[in-house]
Amino acid sequence: MLLDKIYYTVDRLEGDYAYLKREDDASDELKCVARALLPSEIAEGSKLVYEMMEYSVV
């Protein structure tokens, strides 16, 4: 599981945090992530991939 790619969409940005929606999960639960851990160029609606403990824009 740690080496799998997980795809997210940025649902919303609030201050220093981003709320991410997992693309392969049907639940409404969002993941709260500090923006310092994410690429600086993200915006609401951006597509991200989490791989090898790092987020990058798709």
Side-chain angles (χ1 to χ4, degrees):
M1 182 69 178
L2 290 176
L3 300 178
D4 291 344
K5 291 182 182 181
I6 304 171
Y7 292 92
Y8 293 97
T9 300
V10 179
D11 186 68
R12 69 180 188 273
L13 301 172
E14 291 184 7
D16 291 335
Y17 296 93
Y19 291 87
L20 309 180
K21 173 77 173 157
R22 191 167 168 165
E23 292 188 354
D24 64 346
D25 188 358
S27 75
D28 288 334
E29 189 150 342
L30 299 176
K31 180 176 183 176
C32 181
V33 178
R35 289 181 70 176
L37 300 174
L38 301 172
S40 60
E41 67 269 16
I42 65 163
E44 290 182 5
S46 294
K47 305 286 185 189
L48 302 174
V49 62
Y50 182 73
E51 181 179 28
M52 306 269 306
M53 299 178 61
E54 190 171 290
Y55 292 93
S56 55
V57 177
V58 176

